[in-house]
Amino acid sequence: MSATDRDPATDPEALRRHPRLFKAVARRRQPKLRRTDITVTDEAAVKRAVRAASLGNAMEWFDFGIYAYLAVTLGHVFFPPGNDTVQLLSSFATFAVAFLIRPLGGMVFGPMGDRLGRKKVLALTMILMAVGTFAIGVIPSYASIGFWAPALLVFFRMLQGFSTGGEYGGASTFIAEYAPDRRRGYFGSFLEFGTLAGYVGAAGLVTALTAWLGTDTMEAWGWRVPFLVAGPLGLVGLYLRLRLDETPAFQKLESGPVRASEAADPVETSAKGDLAKIFRQQWPALILCIALVGAYNITDYMLLSYMPTYLSDELGYSETHGLLILLLVMALLMLIITQVGRLNDRFGRKPVLMTGMLGFLLLSLPAFLLIGRGGVPAITAGMLMLGLSLVCLLGTMSAALPALFPTEVRYGSLSVGYNLSTSLFGGTTPLVITALIGATGSNLMPAYYAMGAALVGVVAVACMKETARRPLDGSPPSVETPEEAAELVLARTPEPRF
């Protein structure tokens, strides 16, 4: 090993023999910060970026949420009659198919976003999702075309899943790279505000149609309406995304080797988006991402997607009853999620994430016991206990996850890690819980499943580094004003010695 490879902290003899060499190495690793190295954000541009990414995300999850809230109806429409449980399991299995294909979408769109830019790929994912959702709305029923109906349903669900594979990684990367370091949690929380808005829109539309048309009419043709709405909404989202500029971090990465100081941090000069490089170099962060996302998605899909089905199928409530309570809970979460973003900017990502994980670990069982007692007050209280734990994760993950990876491979790495975990744990949640309840006969299995996920999450949060108020790895510092940039340069400048 050469002298330049040695660590002076563990080889003081080398430091004594070659002091100039180690000073040169230290300067290269942490060069002097210059004002031109710092990104001063344009607040209007940041808000436009956040608005477009969040609205686009809302439309994506509106499309995805429709299926979850119509699972029982779609089971009757697209699968052979006879056994309601088999129909429901078939419907949830088709729900899970979209998640199984998501890693492939992440592996395609993620590296593409690192090579071509975040904006172009996010526009493409929006088009594919709108096409897939609209197409589901025009598929004939099983009674009309037999087994071609579920076959077509599976195909277009796979198209949805493929497009969604590039959505979250890209949208969260887009906002994280636009936002100033000190407010990344706040701006990132709007992404999940969009997710909740999409779910609320889907649940609200399904609830209104079911109440207006009735169950028989919904199964006859009413279920098609929410899917057909996806076409116009997709065009709106596409328009918003195409109007944006590329993120400042990606623009600096694209600018190539012309960096006078090679300053603030180890920014690479290439955006290859090579999958082999991601798995080879980023595997520790990928494992951490998979653990965090697994815990987050199990609890997320349990509450936001599965709960109406649980209330109707396991506890005997009407579908509308369960959706109305969930709508109330989600509306409350929307009111407070940006405040959670402010909290994780102020106190750190880890404390807020740990609060959410411990909430699920300690409160899941009491919450489901309350829900099992029945009655609107008890069910609402139980779901609020779960919701308040979930909002700690929702309001923080979109800022915490992009910070795990460097700029040159951020979109690709996050898309791969997020979608692998979501495929394994998130999309299968309704199917697994339904099967566990069927096998054990216990209505408390969702609580036990959430507690197991939360335990993994507690360990993962304990292992992650704090990233609040710090520059993204591989990107220069990002501030809100020129004065803040000047203060940062002054703070990083070593005091002269006399």
Side-chain angles (χ1 to χ4, degrees), residues 60 101-129 158-171 173 272-273 275 278 409-416 419:
E60 288 265 359
I101 203 71
R102 278 180 68 163
L104 180 59
M107 291 178 187
V108 172
F109 291 122
M112 191 187 298
D114 286 327
R115 288 195 305 272
L116 304 179
R118 289 56 166 128
K119 169 186 169 180
K120 295 175 183 176
V121 176
L122 283 173
L124 180 57
T125 61
M126 176 63 66
I127 294 171
L128 292 177
M129 173 59 86
M158 290 173 68
L159 181 61
Q160 282 187 318
F162 186 70
S163 71
T164 307
E167 173 62 25
Y168 185 89
T173 293
K272 296 177 181 177
L275 279 175
I278 289 172
V409 292
R410 180 170 297 123
Y411 196 155
S413 299
L414 181 52
S415 293
V416 168
N419 289 296

Side-chain angles (χ1 to χ4, degrees), residues 264-338:
D265 37 54
V267 178
E268 298 289 342
T269 60
S270 167
K272 296 177 181 177
D274 178 18
L275 279 175
K277 182 177 180 181
I278 289 172
F279 283 107
R280 185 174 62 250
Q281 297 183 359
Q282 303 298 325
W283 64 266
L286 277 174
I287 292 174
L288 183 59
C289 177
I290 288 170
L292 287 168
V293 173
Y296 158 54
N297 268 314
I298 286 174
T299 53
D300 185 3
Y301 284 100
M302 180 194 70
L303 180 61
L304 300 186
S305 294
Y306 174 72
M307 191 58 73
T309 302
Y310 176 79
L311 291 175
S312 61
D313 268 35
E314 306 302 333
L315 302 184
Y317 289 92
S318 69
E319 294 172 38
T320 304
H321 189 109
L323 280 173
L324 284 173
I325 296 176
L326 183 59
L327 273 170
L328 175 65
V329 172
M330 289 193 294
L332 177 62
L333 300 189
M334 289 177 68
L335 291 175
I336 64 176
I337 192 168
T338 56

Side-chain angles (χ1 to χ4, degrees), residues 70 203-215 217-218 221-226:
L70 287 171
L205 182 56
V206 170
T207 302
L209 284 171
T210 303
W212 179 37
L213 299 175
T215 303
T217 307
M218 280 296 289
W221 60 266
W223 65 270
R224 297 183 186 276
V225 175

Side-chain angles (χ1 to χ4, degrees), residues 26 32 45 56 75 179 219 221-222 230 235 330 332 354 367 418 450 482 487:
K32 180 181 177 182
E219 287 192 11
W221 60 266
L235 293 176
M330 289 193 294
L332 177 62
M354 189 63 79
Y418 186 91
E487 290 175 6

Side-chain angles (χ1 to χ4, degrees), residues 54-62 65 69 168 188-204 296 299-301 303-305 326-338 340 386-388 390-396:
S54 301
L55 285 174
N57 200 53
M59 292 169 193
E60 288 265 359
W61 292 109
F62 171 83
Y69 299 132
Y168 185 89
S189 66
F190 280 94
L191 184 66
E192 296 296 355
F193 180 92
T195 300
L196 288 171
Y199 275 126
V200 166
Y296 158 54
T299 53
D300 185 3
Y301 284 100
L303 180 61
L304 300 186
S305 294
L326 183 59
L327 273 170
L328 175 65
V329 172
M330 289 193 294
L332 177 62
L333 300 189
M334 289 177 68
L335 291 175
I336 64 176
I337 192 168
T338 56
V340 174
L386 299 172
L388 292 174
L390 179 62
V391 79
C392 294
L393 309 183
L394 286 172
T396 308

